[in-house]
Amino acid sequence: MPLILDSPPPSPPPSLPKHLSEEALRRKELHTADVVVVGAGIFGTAVAITLARQSRSVLLLEKSLKEPDRIVGELLQPGGVEALEKLGLRECLEEIDAIVVKGYDVIYYGQEVEIPYPKNAVEDGRRPEGRSFHHGRFIRRLREAAMKEPNITVVETTVTNTVTSSWTGQVLGVDSTTHGEKDFYFGTLTIIADGYASKFRKEYISQQPVSKSKFWGLELIDADLPKPQHGHVVLGDGAPVLLYQIGTHETRALIDVPEGLASASTANGGIKGHLRNTVLPSLPKSVQSSFEIALDEGKLRSMPNSFLPPSRNRVPGMVLLGDAMNMRHPLTGGGMTVALNDVVLLRELLSPEAVPDLGNTKLVIKQMKTFHWRRKNLTSVINVLAQALYSLFAANDPQLRALQLGCFRYFQLGGSCVDGPVGLLAGIIRRPIVLFYHFFSVALLSIWLTFSEAPLWKLPMTLLESIMIFYKACVVIFPFIGSELRS
């Protein structure tokens, strides 16, 4: 039989209604519940806990309950911390050696500019803070919280297919296997949140992820970062490098390597050759020794950097959410912030007051349409910002390099030129028009820099170059805006 982890007390406490113990028995023996959640990652576990606290009976299915070991999903922006607090899960950031994050330090060819999270963004006037940590430790804490919920049964099993009514087309649940044994789990609503490598995505949505680069990760020990308690973005001749502390002694280095990069070819020593010969010299001097030691130890891992625009859920009885439905480049660390804020919104839209019966598929689909559009105030900002910033930070032509320089000079102006962009990145400012304003302010500054640095006799060429810079800015951002407007 599948491994079933269930933690309701032997008899229901006096304060709890008697039906809870009956529901727990139905989950354990009959494998039926109000909600079946596939995937006990960030989104899946958080949504399971949230629905359970609304007196929904929940089955949470996960193929492996071992602590995961990933190289992304390690930085939670202030907007994500706020969402975690709203969900009553703030304690999951405790006892995992999490590091306070106060903002970013952008290093452009050796020049630095600090980008702190904006003042007065929280009620008491303090600067907001993010957290960085080992991804697996955070997942473990979330799962521990789920196992304490009397309305949740956690099952270790590998889901293989959805079970669909041949008459109505409604998804009724899933089938799964554990150690070769087949089983079934049924729910009034099935939530699939099986992550970036979702096996169900192709079946239910038309759009598929696009990946043009990978993050290669190293774990540095006792690295001397230029600006402690800050994420570091290192910009130079190649694609960006991220550095951020994930524990008292550990620092994550993520190196973006685009497809077909010549310096990472086999003839040039492969990925290790690229990291040693191209990336290492571009890093801050204080970090180079720990980076080289980690590289020599050879513990390299990679993850694809994928973009997947959001899609509406239209299938009766099932919703596809989390990274299975929407992804953006992890450069800005926005994935967990999106996931947790999606759960906050679903808590309202799928509450028993809004949807008394989850079997009312027409009402659920209507609420998911509302979800699709209401989430865009935040998610469209984070999605578009991540893709646009990556285009600039991985500049590979003269116009993009001009925009990259303009972006750095914009940050150097300080004030609203920092507070606005970092407020968007942090998930604090949730107004797409603010992103539009700052992006094209960067474009105009890039054009001004091009004019100011060119001699007068080059005016015709400079004018042409300026038009090309503005055109490139439009080419960068408008396709991503368009992907957010499609339903």
Side-chain angles (χ1 to χ4, degrees), residues 15 25 52 198 263 271 392 414-415 438-439 455 474:
S15 59
L25 187 63
S198 173
S263 59
I271 292 297
L392 268 58
H438 284 288
F439 184 83
C474 295

Side-chain angles (χ1 to χ4, degrees), residues 448-469:
W448 184 86
L449 290 171
T450 300
F451 270 105
S452 66
E453 294 173 0
L456 188 61
W457 63 272
K458 281 190 174 181
L459 183 60
M461 289 295 295
T462 304
L463 181 61
L464 177 61
E465 178 66 17
S466 298
I467 293 172
M468 293 175 68
I469 290 171

Side-chain angles (χ1 to χ4, degrees), residues 229-431:
Q229 296 185 321
H230 287 67
H232 295 71
V233 183
V234 182
L235 304 176
D237 290 328
V241 177
L242 302 184
L243 300 166
Y244 52 92
Q245 201 171 349
I246 56 174
T248 302
H249 299 284
E250 303 86 25
T251 293
R252 175 69 67 211
L254 292 176
I255 304 93
D256 186 85
V257 180
E259 292 179 349
L261 189 65
S263 59
S265 66
T266 303
N268 289 314
I271 292 297
K272 280 197 170 183
H274 170 70
L275 298 183
R276 193 178 302 277
N277 301 324
T278 303
V279 175
L280 179 60
S282 71
L283 297 177
K285 297 291 185 184
S286 61
V287 177
Q288 290 184 7
S289 60
S290 57
F291 186 92
E292 190 167 20
I293 290 170
L295 185 57
D296 289 339
E297 291 178 352
K299 296 179 181 178
L300 269 171
R301 289 177 295 159
S302 67
M303 285 282 290
N305 295 326
S306 301
F307 173 61
L308 175 65
S311 298
R312 272 186 58 193
N313 282 279
R314 295 180 169 92
V315 178
M318 189 278 294
V319 292
L320 187 76
L321 295 167
D323 281 354
M325 184 271 289
N326 181 207
M327 291 186 285
R328 75 292 308 152
H329 196 288
L331 173 70
T332 56
M336 290 188 291
T337 297
V338 167
L340 293 170
N341 278 277
D342 279 353
V343 176
V344 171
L345 182 54
L346 284 171
R347 180 179 62 176
E348 172 193 342
L349 296 177
L350 295 183
S351 68
E353 294 76 22
V355 185
D357 178 11
L358 292 173
N360 186 342
T361 57
K362 289 184 179 179
L363 179 56
V364 171
I365 290 173
K366 179 183 176 183
Q367 293 297 85
M368 293 310 299
K369 179 180 179 181
T370 302
F371 169 80
H372 176 78
W373 293 109
R374 278 186 55 184
R375 73 192 290 267
K376 288 188 179 295
N377 281 342
L378 171 67
T379 59
S380 66
V381 166
I382 292 179
N383 291 341
V384 173
L385 179 63
Q387 298 304 125
L389 268 185
Y390 176 69
S391 297
L392 268 58
F393 287 177
N396 58 3
D397 66 37
Q399 291 77 42
L400 286 174
R401 281 192 282 273
L403 288 165
Q404 184 188 79
L405 173 62
C407 185
F408 183 75
R409 296 290 182 240
Y410 193 74
F411 292 154
Q412 286 183 314
L413 295 174
S416 62
C417 298
V418 165
D419 289 347
V422 79
L424 294 164
L425 182 148
I428 297 168
I429 298 175
R430 306 182 178 197
R431 296 167 55 201

Side-chain angles (χ1 to χ4, degrees), residues 35-41 43-45 47 59-61 159-164 171 173-175 189-205 313 315 317-326 346 368:
V35 183
V36 173
V37 179
V38 179
F43 178 87
T45 309
V47 79
L59 280 162
L60 177 57
L61 313 182
V159 175
T160 52
N161 290 292
T162 53
V163 178
T164 305
V171 173
V174 298
D175 62 38
L189 177 66
T190 299
I191 298 176
I192 295 179
D194 59 338
Y196 76 96
S198 173
K199 67 173 67 175
F200 298 97
R201 184 186 293 124
K202 287 184 179 180
E203 186 176 354
Y204 291 109
I205 62 176
N313 282 279
V315 178
M318 189 278 294
V319 292
L320 187 76
L321 295 167
D323 281 354
M325 184 271 289
N326 181 207
L346 284 171
M368 293 310 299

